[in-house]
Amino acid sequence: MHKKLFLISKEGFAVSQQDATSYGIGWKYADQQTAMPLKSDVYDVVNDYPAGFGFDIGGIEYAHTHNLDGVAFTDMKTLMVEAYKNGGFVTVSWHLGNPVSGGNSWDTTPAVSDIIEGGAYHETYKLWVKRVADFFKSVTYKNKPIPIIFRPFHEMNGSWFWWGDKNCNTIDYIKLWRETVNLLRDEYNVHNVLYVYSPNKLNATDEYLKYYPADAYVDILGIDIYDFYNTEDFIKSVQHDLNIVKNTAETHNKLFAFTETGLEKLNTAAWFTNTLYPYIKDSGICWILFWRNHTTNHFYMPYKKQALENDLIEFSELPKTLFLKDIQKIKIKK
């Protein structure tokens, strides 16, 4: 998978979406009568699927049957395998619950010091990671676990998650990351995962590598930047932050990606072709991930008859945008 992503970055960037085949505006995969062809808002607009398919395993830590957004883990597994066997790739985030308070990811009760080695909830956390490991190893195609791009503990330079800046010190964060990788890789024998480090957009005083756990624990660098209806600020952040990520990636010999972005409700004309594309087309990212389509008040990709439908079609036809059919053509020489 790493080599495929490298080759993608030389052609352009892979267009990805969170929960692209899990649900969309007015539909859910769980309600479909047949698995194929898979429903997708993106497919309905551009006659092609995203190249990358994002999923979230929040809830797996509690052994729930469904994730925090109501997607059954059995369905998720099916959709991950479909994505992979059709030439796409799978990214996974983990909005895990707060192990101390019992709240969700956005419950900012400090918890990291309690789950790293020596903490009161360390054994609980080890069990949680074991459940992640079991799930990752169970997502198989032709009796082999498929590659999974895992982006845990993201946006750590913000303070909205319990592992974030004001709720956790840097030393403990790095310990948590390293212990998580060591548990998955060494104790639970998970070897089908690439790990992604992805802060949120950088404030003036932020250091991109402040929370970096070291090259041995990270495969891909990323950044999350959303447009909150401030086009000028968004463009400046994209240019500035992606340049920092690119330079850092080159120094550390890593691939890099635009790991989350979007404009909620898409009310800015020509957002994909004018606001976004000119500033990412030559950035060197291997993929860009747009957030999910949940409701008509919370969506990040056009659907049929939505105002930016034609803009997405134009975006899909630009030279550097790569959807599923495009990356299917990129072959790895053996």
Side-chain angles (χ1 to χ4, degrees):
M1 189 70 249
H2 191 276
K3 190 166 186 180
K4 181 75 174 270
L5 292 171
F6 171 78
L7 294 173
I8 286 169
S9 73
K10 299 305 173 188
E11 298 282 334
F13 55 87
V15 175
S16 311
Q17 191 192 12
Q18 187 75 5
D19 289 324
T21 50
S22 302
Y23 52 80
I25 305 304
W27 63 272
K28 293 179 182 178
Y29 169 78
D31 296 335
Q32 291 181 246
Q33 296 301 306
T34 57
M36 295 298 292
L38 293 175
K39 176 78 170 165
S40 159
D41 287 346
V42 170
Y43 187 90
D44 287 348
V45 172
V46 302
N47 197 35
D48 199 358
Y49 292 100
F53 298 76
F55 300 89
D56 196 284
I57 56 168
I60 200 87
E61 65 274 12
Y62 298 121
H64 288 169
T65 58
H66 293 65
N67 80 347
L68 76 168
D69 298 315
V71 179
F73 285 107
T74 52
D75 287 345
M76 189 183 298
K77 202 182 297 190
T78 298
L79 294 172
M80 287 175 162
V81 172
E82 283 296 320
Y84 175 69
K85 80 177 189 183
N86 287 301
F89 59 90
V90 168
T91 67
V92 171
S93 52
W94 187 17
H95 286 91
L96 67 166
N98 187 311
V100 172
S101 67
N104 60 25
S105 292
W106 296 267
D107 181 328
T108 55
T109 303
V112 173
S113 62
D114 291 303
I115 62 174
I116 56 179
E117 193 168 356
Y121 292 84
H122 183 57
E123 291 303 316
T124 297
Y125 184 65
K126 284 181 70 175
L127 174 62
W128 287 13
V129 178
K130 175 70 163 56
R131 288 169 175 160
V132 172
D134 290 344
F135 180 73
F136 283 173
K137 289 191 290 186
S138 76
V139 186
T140 59
Y141 180 58
K142 294 184 177 178
N143 296 317
K144 291 183 180 179
I146 72 165
I148 288 172
I149 300 165
F150 187 34
R151 192 169 59 97
F153 303 115
H154 63 303
E155 300 176 2
M156 75 298 288
N157 56 327
S159 298
W160 40 90
F161 297 130
W162 55 260
W163 58 84
D165 182 58
K166 290 188 172 66
N167 315 310
C168 165
N169 66 55
T170 308
I171 293 171
D172 283 353
Y173 180 90
I174 290 171
K175 281 183 182 176
L176 173 63
W177 185 289
R178 291 179 178 180
E179 286 182 13
T180 302
V181 173
N182 287 335
L183 283 169
L184 286 169
R185 184 181 60 198
D186 304 328
E187 189 159 339
Y188 301 139
N189 201 31
V190 175
H191 301 293
N192 58 317
V193 170
L194 296 173
Y195 297 91
V196 187
Y197 171 83
S198 65
N200 195 54
K201 67 174 280 192
L202 303 175
N203 295 311
T205 58
D206 285 354
E207 297 174 34
Y208 179 73
L209 291 178
K210 180 179 177 181
Y211 307 87
Y212 191 61
D215 286 350
Y217 295 91
V218 173
D219 299 292
I220 300 168
L221 303 182
I223 191 89
D224 296 2
I225 311 168
Y226 281 86
D227 183 350
F228 292 104
Y229 287 95
N230 187 335
T231 300
E232 186 178 337
D233 179 64
F234 175 72
I235 290 171
K236 281 182 180 177
S237 290
V238 168
Q239 290 178 294
H240 176 266
D241 292 3
L242 284 182
N243 190 54
I244 287 175
V245 178
K246 179 179 184 176
N247 291 337
T248 307
E250 288 173 352
T251 301
H252 292 260
N253 195 28
K254 302 290 183 186
L255 297 175
F256 63 104
F258 197 166
T259 40
E260 265 189 55
T261 192
L263 174 76
E264 190 178 44
K265 295 195 280 192
L266 294 170
N267 288 335
T268 299
W271 186 81
F272 290 94
T273 53
N274 287 352
T275 301
L276 183 65
Y277 183 80
Y279 307 101
I280 61 172
K281 65 185 178 71
D282 298 316
S283 64
I285 56 174
C286 46
W287 81 81
I288 184 170
L289 183 134
F290 299 98
W291 205 237
R292 63 189 188 141
N293 280 15
H294 185 232
T295 66
T296 53
N297 286 317
H298 182 65
F299 67 92
Y300 292 87
M301 286 295 254
Y303 48 92
K304 290 296 281 184
K305 298 184 180 178
Q306 197 273 333
L308 266 63
E309 180 181 4
N310 288 331
D311 188 50
L312 183 63
I313 293 170
E314 286 185 38
F315 178 72
S316 72
E317 294 168 348
L318 291 167
K320 297 294 184 72
T321 53
L322 305 175
F323 286 74
L324 185 59
K325 291 174 187 173
D326 299 309
I327 73 162
Q328 285 171 344
K329 298 171 187 172
I330 299 175
K331 304 298 182 186
I332 300 174
K333 294 179 181 177
K334 295 185 179 179

